[in-house]
Amino acid sequence: MICDNITTENGVLYFAGQNTVELARKYGTPLYLLDEDKIREKCRIYKKAFTTHFGSQAQPLFASKANCFKRLYEIMKEENMGIDVVSSGEIYTAKLAGFDLSQAYFHGNNKTDQDIAYAMDCGVGYFVADNVEEVKAVEKEAASRGIVQKMLLRLTPGIDPHTYAAIATGKVDSKFGSAIETGQAEEIVTYTLRQSHIRLMGYHCHVGSQIFGEDIFERTAEVMLTFSAEMRRKHDFTAPVLDLGGGYGVRYTQDDPVLDIEEKVKEVATAIKETCRRLELPLPEIHMEPGRSIVADGGMTLYTVGTVKKIPGYKNYVSVDGSMADHIRFALYGSRYTCLLASKMSEPCEFKAALVGRCCESGDIIQEDVMFPKTVGRGDTVAVCTTGAYHYSMASNYNRLPKPPVVMLSGGDSYVAVKRERLEDLCRNDV
Ligand SMILES: *Cc1c(COP(=O)(O)O)cnc(C)c1O
């Protein structure tokens, strides 16, 4: 199996040690499952690797956009993770969960004035400014409150991580950040240093997602540290913090490798220490912002099969009760997933079909070319693996479909962390 929390017993798929067909019956479908123990394990791997290899000041921050609801922030709080947030909505949710927002980093390429004010109301520790205009807006709000706001600057180091173009963000031509190559990075640094209500704490970058490539973070760190050394030489500013962003890849199918996070962090740390020595820079406080690699393989989506359509000489379709509204990544990027017929795991898979949703949109495909047992039919349970990241957080109400619930699995028990939307919820704001 693609992850050690997925097993089979008596022809039925088990996730986190629990019978998925029974879970589907108990909570209904479509259903998001999250393996809480797996998520905690991932947090601990990051925490330990950071302390061991970067020192006690270093901090992994969970990237909220990967998955966001109250209970998850409680878990992040219990695991002593920092968080990054990108909207007032994420800040509000973290606050409701009692998360200490001084440990939150506020990202985004276009924070509104209302966002900036709300984040300051809530005491968000760090703003990560994307461009000079944003620095201006933060300075103005901080000045009006008579406070000094801590800030990182998002820079674009010009590294292409060779993944899908749509999730590569560290190249020069990007809507995110200020480019080192064009001189805009230096401009934003000197501009920020002149502000009296902002304390510049360092630099941030994020080069992309689903990264397996050997030395992407090493190369990125090299560019960022070289820039930092240049700023020290020219402007007498030594950045205390370097945030390398998120992006470690996860295993969606058998073709994807398994990353050893501890080993990866160790390699990056060795390279960073070496570069710092060469540039005669003190080792900065290192941050990274894993999202996907914390939550993805803790997740699974369950569906119930409805129509099975065979078009002789063409193609077969297996339709489920979910859709692109709860699983958008295939439509967005053609992302590959492992799909299993949870209720018939011991039958041979000899029937090829597209697994499709119920939305009125021909692009509403969960996955192409899935192999099912020949007996697949109405009432069977389908599992889509590794859906803990960018599923619930990207879910919509397209076709007026209620969002599925999130059920957490821990130590052999299950509980609802986010309730299934009801029809009334859909009309909550209709006047
Ligand atoms: C998306 C994003 C992350 C998380 O990326 P993953 O691939 O989920 O690890 C972290 N930081 C920033 C700024 C991001 O935009």
Side-chain angles (χ1 to χ4, degrees):
M1 282 296 176
I2 54 166
C3 186
D4 61 11
N5 55 359
I6 304 176
T7 52
T8 304
E9 260 176 61
N10 302 322
V12 171
L13 186 73
Y14 277 63
F15 185 54
Q18 300 189 46
N19 183 319
T20 56
V21 175
E22 276 173 18
L23 287 166
R25 199 172 303 134
K26 178 167 179 192
Y27 294 104
T29 56
L31 173 63
Y32 291 125
L33 298 175
L34 272 187
D35 177 352
E36 179 178 333
D37 303 336
K38 179 56 96 187
I39 292 169
R40 288 184 187 274
E41 178 192 317
K42 291 294 175 65
C43 292
R44 287 169 199 179
I45 289 172
Y46 269 105
K47 284 296 283 189
K48 180 151 177 280
F50 268 55
T51 313
T52 310
H53 302 296
F54 289 128
S56 57
Q57 292 288 84
Q59 173 76 309
L61 315 170
F62 171 62
S64 299
K65 70 175 188 208
N67 207 335
C68 176
F69 52 91
K70 248 174 71 185
R71 178 64 189 140
L72 196 54
Y73 283 125
E74 287 168 8
I75 292 168
M76 292 305 147
K77 179 178 154 191
E78 286 162 18
E79 297 299 331
N80 289 313
M81 294 285 287
I83 54 168
D84 85 37
V85 291
V86 294
S87 68
S88 293
E90 287 179 356
I91 293 169
Y92 176 76
T93 309
K95 190 177 141 138
L96 273 190
F99 193 90
D100 173 10
L101 288 167
S102 71
Q103 292 308 305
Y105 291 70
F106 188 18
H107 285 280
N109 67 309
N110 185 23
K111 301 169 189 72
T112 66
D113 291 342
Q114 290 92 323
D115 285 336
I116 291 168
Y118 183 67
M120 286 184 190
D121 286 346
C122 296
V124 166
Y126 299 78
F127 277 59
V128 184
D130 184 274
N131 51 66
V132 169
E133 216 178 294
E134 217 169 68
V135 177
K136 262 184 214 170
V138 172
E139 168 67 21
K140 187 162 167 243
E141 186 64 30
S144 79
R145 292 166 186 249
I147 61 167
V148 175
Q149 177 62 56
K150 285 186 280 187
M151 181 177 276
L152 302 181
L153 299 175
R154 176 157 184 175
L155 309 181
T156 26
I159 304 273
D160 181 352
H162 300 295
T163 51
Y164 319 116
I167 50 177
T169 50
K171 291 192 292 180
V172 170
D173 176 13
S174 163
K175 78 164 183 168
F176 297 105
S178 302
I180 292 177
E181 191 186 309
T182 60
Q184 282 161 310
E186 180 169 355
E187 243 168 70
I188 194 173
V189 170
T190 53
Y191 184 84
T192 307
L193 287 171
R194 287 199 302 271
Q195 307 307 308
S196 41
H197 298 88
I198 293 173
R199 184 181 313 139
L200 183 56
M201 298 299 291
Y203 309 123
H204 167 274
C205 60
H206 172 75
V207 299
S209 257
Q210 192 60 353
I211 295 172
F212 295 104
E214 280 295 294
D215 59 348
I216 298 294
F217 285 98
E218 285 87 334
R219 279 166 44 211
T220 303
E222 161 95 32
V223 173
M224 297 294 284
L225 290 166
T226 303
F227 176 78
S228 184
E230 192 186 330
M231 292 306 101
R232 181 179 59 171
R233 187 161 42 78
K234 285 180 158 175
H235 306 293
D236 196 26
F237 171 68
T238 309
V241 175
L242 175 62
D243 185 331
L244 293 170
Y248 278 126
V250 300
R251 192 167 197 226
Y252 286 108
T253 70
Q254 303 281 2
D255 299 338
D256 295 324
V258 180
L259 274 194
D260 181 341
I261 296 295
E262 132 98 288
E263 188 55 33
K264 284 279 156 192
V265 168
K266 184 175 159 193
E267 288 167 15
V268 175
T270 307
I272 287 180
K273 285 173 188 164
E274 172 56 34
T275 305
C276 285
R277 245 190 315 274
R278 184 163 45 74
L279 297 169
E280 293 175 10
L281 271 182
L283 179 68
E285 180 180 322
I286 301 289
H287 298 172
M288 277 192 187
E289 303 165 336
R292 190 190 310 271
S293 57
I294 298 276
V295 286
D297 57 16
M300 177 179 277
T301 309
L302 299 181
Y303 299 111
T304 301
V305 174
T307 307
V308 176
K309 190 174 285 182
K310 296 172 188 165
I311 311 178
Y314 291 91
K315 194 169 164 179
N316 304 312
Y317 290 91
V318 171
S319 306
V320 290
D321 54 356
S323 70
M324 63 195 291
D326 62 70
H327 182 104
I328 189 66
R329 294 190 71 253
F330 187 84
L332 272 184
Y333 326 109
S335 305
R336 297 187 59 214
Y337 286 88
T338 300
C339 307
L340 304 164
L341 197 62
S343 42
K344 293 174 177 167
M345 289 298 289
S346 39
E347 294 181 26
C349 292
E350 294 162 338
F351 177 70
K352 185 153 108 180
L355 180 63
V356 300
R358 55 180 294 187
C359 280
C360 305
E361 161 67 51
S362 49
D364 176 23
I365 295 165
I366 307 283
Q367 198 69 184
E368 291 279 10
D369 299 331
V370 181
M371 295 307 295
F372 290 102
K374 280 185 190 146
T375 62
V376 59
R378 205 170 185 87
D380 276 330
T381 304
V382 167
V384 181
C385 304
T386 329
T387 60
Y390 306 109
H391 282 254
Y392 175 67
S393 61
M394 283 188 163
S396 77
N397 290 119
Y398 183 49
N399 281 183
R400 217 56 160 173
L401 293 171
K403 287 184 197 168
V406 179
V407 165
M408 308 292 288
L409 308 177
S410 178
D413 286 331
S414 62
Y415 64 94
V416 177
V418 179
K419 290 191 278 190
R420 184 181 297 283
E421 279 186 340
R422 301 158 307 163
L423 296 178
E424 301 91 288
D425 294 325
L426 296 170
C427 295
R428 199 171 43 213
N429 298 321
D430 293 14
V431 290

